[in-house]
Amino acid sequence: MMKAVIFDLDGVITDTAEFHYKAWKKIADELGIPFDASYNEKLKGVSRMESLCLILDNGPGRDSFTLEEKEKYCEKKNEIYKKQIKDLTPDDVLPGIKDFMQELKKNNILIGLASVSKNAPEIIDRLEIDDLFDYMADARVVKNSKPEPDVFIDNLINLEVDSSDAIGIEDAESGIEAIHRAGMKAVGIGNKIILKNADIVLSSARELTFQKMNSL
Ligand code: BG6
Ligand code: MG
């Protein structure tokens, strides 16, 4: 029986995945490295430093910069990103998410947050949806970003739910892999080709229903 639903944040609950892309695009342009939306798919769900390294791999390579230089670029990216999230309001929760969460609550299903973003607390705060969660993972203490299962396992432990009684919702290929490696069923929201390994792919959060999830 389904006991918990664990959500990714960026690109699932709100469209901050696009902000991450725009911020990285500025850094890539500054470095003269080709970077487009298709390559950006690889960055979704992975940590800030690993994202930068993936961009550098398309140019001079991740070893051509010192750790200090890489940290500087990560910081610069985060400054650009933070300017964009400053304007988020409760209206920026993607359509369908709140209705689905309320439906889960009515059915006594626990709700968890599995984001590896250190900016997650600020985003959740600006969206004013703190109350809807039974548990939110703290990205500062989660050891490995996706596709490692750490952030989903952390949710399962804290929600005290078995992996077979929980499902995860993701917009990234790395996220689907992380959910599966945690032993859970995976729901993809987005492109059916990119998210082909999910157990079910929906084109938008509007299609999320308790019944559909429970039948997984
Ligand atoms: C994930 C995003 O949620 O968080 C990634 O999908 C991002 O794109 C990662 O790199 C880390 O986020 P932040 O906000 O800590 O740089
Ligand atoms: Mg995401």
Side-chain angles (χ1 to χ4, degrees):
M1 218 193 90
M2 180 170 77
K3 291 185 182 151
V5 176
I6 303 170
F7 291 78
D8 171 46
L9 173 65
D10 296 319
V12 169
I13 290 177
T14 188
D15 206 12
T16 38
E18 193 56 28
F19 295 170
H20 279 295
Y21 170 52
K22 283 188 185 148
W24 281 127
K25 179 75 183 141
K26 283 201 179 148
I27 301 293
D29 286 352
E30 186 186 318
L31 289 162
I33 298 173
F35 180 58
D36 60 15
S38 149
Y39 192 74
N40 181 59
E41 286 301 321
K42 281 187 198 290
L43 275 57
K44 290 185 177 173
V46 310
S47 70
R48 202 178 300 167
M49 180 56 86
E50 180 58 18
S51 295
L52 173 69
C53 288
L54 287 168
I55 290 171
L56 296 178
D57 286 347
N58 247 359
R62 58 181 71 195
D63 298 329
S64 55
F65 292 92
T66 63
L67 179 62
E68 207 183 8
E69 286 168 328
K70 286 191 274 199
E71 276 167 352
K72 199 191 74 198
Y73 284 117
C74 283
E75 224 167 88
K76 197 163 180 187
K77 181 263 174 178
N78 197 44
E79 272 164 29
I80 301 168
Y81 179 71
K82 274 184 123 31
K83 274 190 200 138
Q84 306 189 70
I85 60 172
K86 204 169 61 22
D87 297 328
L88 286 174
T89 72
D91 289 340
D92 292 306
V93 177
L94 286 170
I97 289 288
K98 272 191 195 161
D99 288 344
F100 177 56
M101 283 184 167
Q102 267 141 14
E103 203 190 355
L104 292 175
K105 292 245 160 273
K106 258 185 239 153
N107 287 281
N108 297 314
I109 307 295
L110 296 168
I111 299 179
L113 184 74
S115 174
V116 297
S117 168
K118 297 190 175 74
N119 292 296
E122 180 178 340
I123 295 171
I124 294 292
D125 207 43
R126 292 193 186 277
L127 297 176
E128 295 178 18
I129 52 171
D130 316 48
D131 302 356
L132 292 167
F133 292 94
D134 296 288
Y135 178 72
M136 291 188 256
D138 180 350
R140 292 166 309 176
V141 298
V142 171
K143 197 158 171 244
N144 300 299
S145 66
K146 300 159 190 175
E148 300 290 333
D150 303 29
V151 72
F152 286 100
I153 292 173
D154 176 65
N155 264 269
L156 292 171
I157 293 169
N158 284 282
L159 292 169
E160 298 181 24
V161 168
D162 285 339
S163 59
S164 55
D165 295 332
I167 66 160
I169 306 184
E170 266 288 349
D171 69 317
E173 199 184 353
S174 66
I176 299 294
E177 187 178 334
I179 296 171
H180 280 154
R181 283 166 72 176
M184 302 156 62
K185 292 275 188 216
V187 178
I189 297 195
N191 185 307
K192 284 198 164 63
I193 299 165
I194 295 167
L195 304 173
K196 58 186 181 304
N197 294 328
D199 297 287
I200 179 176
V201 181
L202 308 174
S203 55
S204 120
R206 282 196 189 93
E207 293 170 36
L208 288 165
T209 63
F210 169 73
Q211 212 184 358
K212 221 182 267 176
M213 297 304 109
N214 206 25
S215 65
L216 273 179

